[in-house]
């Protein structure tokens, strides 16, 4: 249980979809919507990270604003009039989902499948998907130049998975560039700064310096990037291998919550166990010790259980 | 990753950052003091590029170490800018403009010639190569190129017009001539005594020695600053409000209000920034002003600093403007030496100094919040607004940011007074405006006319459509603007008339497409431009600019998915989401010109 330390906040009255809503001052539109039970899709937003408002799937209409505004980061103002279900909002959300589904492999992002149905997205209308890029080709793309694809095909981020260490893999064909991993690696959790966004435009990508393999980078293998990845682009090597062998089966898995045995901090661990073996370790994002983040020992130091 | 810099790379970085603290370079101190110098990241990366021809792993590692910037982040910055290369690049590069005005002047033929004589773009032959470049802002002298030589004595030379001779000279290992064009070519009105008399913003262009502070003062320079000091900050703001001066960068925000908002902020320090990242295809007015009358910008920015309570000003100059940089750098040094910048400006009791920062090839860096990030040593990604620059600008502090032309207008406001200034132009659009007339016209160049002047008059002033007759189309406002057809030539060039007509004057681009012009080619180029220049941060723009270009290519090639109507409906959807949901103006306007060509001109009809 968290002990409230902040003084109680003043309430602000706003109007959402015609309903009058009172929320604490400083709340975001998203928080206000959720308090009202209005379902709002999000991709880049995570409760344990600073909002970067880049995916734009949570956009809403605010009276007086020319463009739509991201609900995840815009704070409410007294008298603000918000609409979350107008034609403009629905169209933008649908297009954002279509853009992502037509350029990124979302097969491990079930939430996004559901949202695509809700918003009637048809990503196939942009044409046949382009052949995956050769290994490393996307890492070498230069800003300000591109080769247009054959008419009729749609450009994608498809590329081979990066496997350069024993602990986790990076499958950037699944990357929606939500910046979450960069935040978790940097300011918001780990302070390691091993990865950042490189390149520009559609060729922007998550990268180490000069795309060097992780063992040559500053990575400390805390795995916090995996913990926040919404699309399965970052994944435990154990999970990746089981999936490749067709043996990954969440229905057969149990999740056991325990406390990390390595030091005295008291991090909560969720051990995902399949066939008597730990296959993945997570921590709850709302846990007040970890906020979902762990270190290399808690995240990956479980192989002794097999000894 | 561990890579070591070469001695020359180390020296190039040290020349920007100063020698490492401990003398032998083996110990680097960290902490806030080092990280507080992150704003020197882009200058240091530029120095590496200029010395070595690319940003090598060793060079980047050294910069990262010196500034306490994580290597991955420094790489993220280096790989953002087109003029920096994170792969080995030959020391001599000819950047050939492939943008709209240069296409009308035969840029593709020159590219074909380069391919024939040299080989494909980027190929290294004897330490030379050529690359395609977006608009270089030399449209009045199209076709244009920028020759960049890395090495011990790095050089950058604008070359326009680029002919077969210059091209052959570059490939043969020689130098290209060029640099600053003659004023009467860039601003034809300055050559004509009658036309000159009506000029305000261009008054000194071609008449004043851009290298001489004395000459500037002999032509009325620094009188406006004296007036400003006499009026006081409140007085200056009142004059600007009376003048109803609106920003000339594209958004038309009232300048007086902007300055007042910042002046009122209790948080310190305040900053003032001149947005000289003139990158909108077809725009070159600020370049002409800075190359021919650099002190005007220095003086105007000083007035902004005085008024807004800032002691430091920045000029963020686009990387492709080497000659404007030289002119400004000389002007700042001269002003500083003579007490027009420094701890006690003109003995008037206020401190102000200016730093010039150069971009490195990114259109998006002209977006004001992206520009702040660029100065701060981050990727030039726009920030979400609110908060606005008036409260959270450069380094998170209250900041005035104005376009160069807007700032130079302030001199005129103070010269004649706000009410007199407002008598020129229309009721809502006061004063004069600079228009960058290019393409198929008799005398391309920067023209200064009162706001509200009809488009047809402006075209007549510029010598009419080349070859006579009516234009097939005119692009107003650049790639982010809109096409109008020959039936729209009576359009008054004012903010309100443009708004009514559903177009924008943007940065003053007036690009003329004659009878023979290929509009499909122009539309495809605009789409490719936005695809190249999107920063990639938000989904609507990152993917939308790609999907827009793909759909247009399908239409152009006749290989549509479904019917032509299906494709147009798809394009409309893409345009809508970019306009509604993108973070910044780039995405929000990336479909404007394309749509205007489809709806007004019937391209793909």
């Amino acid at each position: 249980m968290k002990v409230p330390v902040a003084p109680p906040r003043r309430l602000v009255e706003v109007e959402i979809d015609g309903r009058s809503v009172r929320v604490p001052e400083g709340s975001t539109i998203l928080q206000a919507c959720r308090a009202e039970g209005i379902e709002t899709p999000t991709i880049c937003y995570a409760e344990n990270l600073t909002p970067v408002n880049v995916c734009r799937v949570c956009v809403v209409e605010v009276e007086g604003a020319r463009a739509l505004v991201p609900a995840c980061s815009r704070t409410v103002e007294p008298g603000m009039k918000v609409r979350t279900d107008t034609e403009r909002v629905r169209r933008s959300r649908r297009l954002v989902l279509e853009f992502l589904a037509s350029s990124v492999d979302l097969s491990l992002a079930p939430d996004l499948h559901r949202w695509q149905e809700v918003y009637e997205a048809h990503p196939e209308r942009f044409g046949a998907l382009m052949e995956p890029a050769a290994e490393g080709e996307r890492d070498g793309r230069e800003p300000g130049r591109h080769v247009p694809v054959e008419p009729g095909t749609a450009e994608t981020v498809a590329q081979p998975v990066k496997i350069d260490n024993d602990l986790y893999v990076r499958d950037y064909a699944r990357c929606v560039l939500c910046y979450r991993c960069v935040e978790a690696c940097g300011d918001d959790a780990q302070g390691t700064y091993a990865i950042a966004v490189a390149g520009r435009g559609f060729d922007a990508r998550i990268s180490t310096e000069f795309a060097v393999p992780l063992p040559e980078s500053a990575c400390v293998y805390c795995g916090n990037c995996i913990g926040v990845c919404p699309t399965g682009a970052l994944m435990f090597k154990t999970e990746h291998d089981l999936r490749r062998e067709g043996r990954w089966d969440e229905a057969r898995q149990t999740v056991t919550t325990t406390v990390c045995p390595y030091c005295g901090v008291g991090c909560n661990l969720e051990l995902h166990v399949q066939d008597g073996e730990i296959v993945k370790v997570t921590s709850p994002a709302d846990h007040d010790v970890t906020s979902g983040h762990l270190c290399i020992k808690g995240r990956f130091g479980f192989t002794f259980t097999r000894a | 990753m561990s890579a070591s810099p070469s001695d020359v790379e180390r020296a190039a970085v040290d020349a920007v950052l100063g020698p490492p603290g401990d003398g032998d370079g083996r110990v680097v101190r960290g902490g806030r003091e080092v990280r507080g110098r992150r704003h020197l990241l882009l200058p240091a990366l530029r120095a590496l590029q200029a010395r070595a021809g690319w940003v090598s792993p060793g060079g980047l590692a050294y910069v990262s170490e010196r500034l306490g910037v994580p290597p991955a982040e420094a790489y993220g910055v280096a790989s953002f800018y087109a003029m920096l290369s994170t792969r080995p690049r030959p020391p001599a590069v000819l950047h050939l403009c492939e943008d709209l005005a240069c296409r009308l002047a035969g840029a593709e033929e020159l590219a074909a010639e380069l391919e024939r004589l040299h080989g494909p773009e980027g190929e290294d032959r004897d330490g030379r190569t050529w690359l395609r470049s977006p608009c270089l802002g030399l449209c009045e002298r199209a076709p244009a190129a920028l020759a960049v030589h890395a090495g011990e004595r790095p050089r950058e030379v604008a070359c326009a017009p680029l002919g077969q001779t210059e091209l052959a000279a570059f490939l043969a290992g020689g130098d290209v001539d060029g640099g600053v064009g003659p004023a009467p070519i860039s601003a034809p009105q300055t050559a004509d005594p009658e036309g000159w008399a009506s000029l305000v913003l261009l008054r000194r262009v071609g008449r004043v020695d851009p290298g001489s502070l004395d000459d500037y003062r002999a032509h009325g320079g620094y009188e406006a600053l004296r007036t400003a000091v006499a009026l006081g900050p409140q007085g200056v703001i009142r004059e600007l409000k009376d003048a109803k001066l609106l920003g000339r960068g594209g958004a038309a925000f009232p300048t007086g209000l902007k300055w007042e908002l910042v002046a009122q902020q209790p948080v310190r320090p305040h900053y003032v920034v001149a947005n000289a990242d003139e990158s909108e295809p077809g725009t070159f007015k600020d370049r002409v002003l800075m190359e021919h009358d650099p002190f005007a910008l220095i003086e105007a920015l000083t007035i902004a600093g005085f008024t807004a309570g800032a002691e430091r000003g920045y000029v963020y100059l686009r990387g492709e403007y080497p000659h404007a940089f030289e002119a400004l750098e000389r002007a700042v040094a001269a002003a500083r030496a003579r007490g027009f910048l420094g701890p006690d400006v003109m003995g008037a009791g206020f401190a102000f100094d200016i730093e010039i920062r150069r971009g490195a090839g990114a259109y998006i860096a002209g977006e004001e919040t992206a520009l702040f990030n660029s100065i701060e040593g981050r990727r030039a990604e726009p920030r979400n607004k609110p908060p606005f620059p008036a409260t959270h600008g450069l380094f998170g502090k209250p900041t005035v940011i104005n376009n160069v032309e807007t700032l130079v207008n302030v001199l005129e406001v103070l010269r004649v007074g706000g009410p007199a200034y407002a008598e020129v132009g229309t009721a809502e659009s006061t004063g004069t405006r600079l228009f960058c007339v290019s393409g198929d016209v008799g005398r391309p160049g920067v023209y200064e006319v009162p706001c509200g002047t009809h488009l047809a008059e402006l075209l007549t002033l510029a010598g009419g459509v080349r070859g006579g007759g009516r234009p097939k189309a005119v692009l107003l406002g650049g790639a982010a603007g809109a096409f109008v057809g020959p039936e729209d030539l009576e359009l008054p060039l004012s903010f309100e008339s443009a708004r009514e007509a559903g177009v924008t004057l943007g940065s003053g681009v007036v690009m003329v497409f004659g009878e023979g012009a290929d509009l499909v080619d122009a539309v495809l180029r605009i789409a490719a431009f936005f695809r190249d220049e999107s920063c990639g941060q938000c989904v609507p723009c990152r993917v939308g600019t790609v999907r827009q270009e793909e759909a247009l290519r399908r239409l152009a090639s006749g290989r549509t998915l479904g019917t032509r109507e299906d494709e147009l409906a798809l394009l409309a959807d893409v345009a809508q989401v970019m306009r509604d949901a993108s973070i910044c103006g780039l995405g929000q306007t990336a479909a404007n010109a394309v749509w205007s060509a489809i709806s007004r001109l019937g391209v793909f009809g």
Side-chain angles (χ1 to χ4, degrees), chain B residues 158-176:
Chain B
C159 183
L162 177 79
Q164 302 281 349
T165 331
E166 290 83 5
L167 194 149
F170 176 83
L171 292 181
D175 247 333
V176 290

Side-chain angles (χ1 to χ4, degrees), chain B residues 200-224:
Chain B
V200 172
L201 307 169
L202 295 174
R203 188 186 298 126
R204 280 181 293 264
V205 168
R207 310 241 160 183
V208 73
D209 174 1
S212 163
L213 178 55
D214 288 325
D215 203 27
Y216 177 66
R217 294 181 67 192
H219 284 83
Y222 280 106
E223 279 169 21

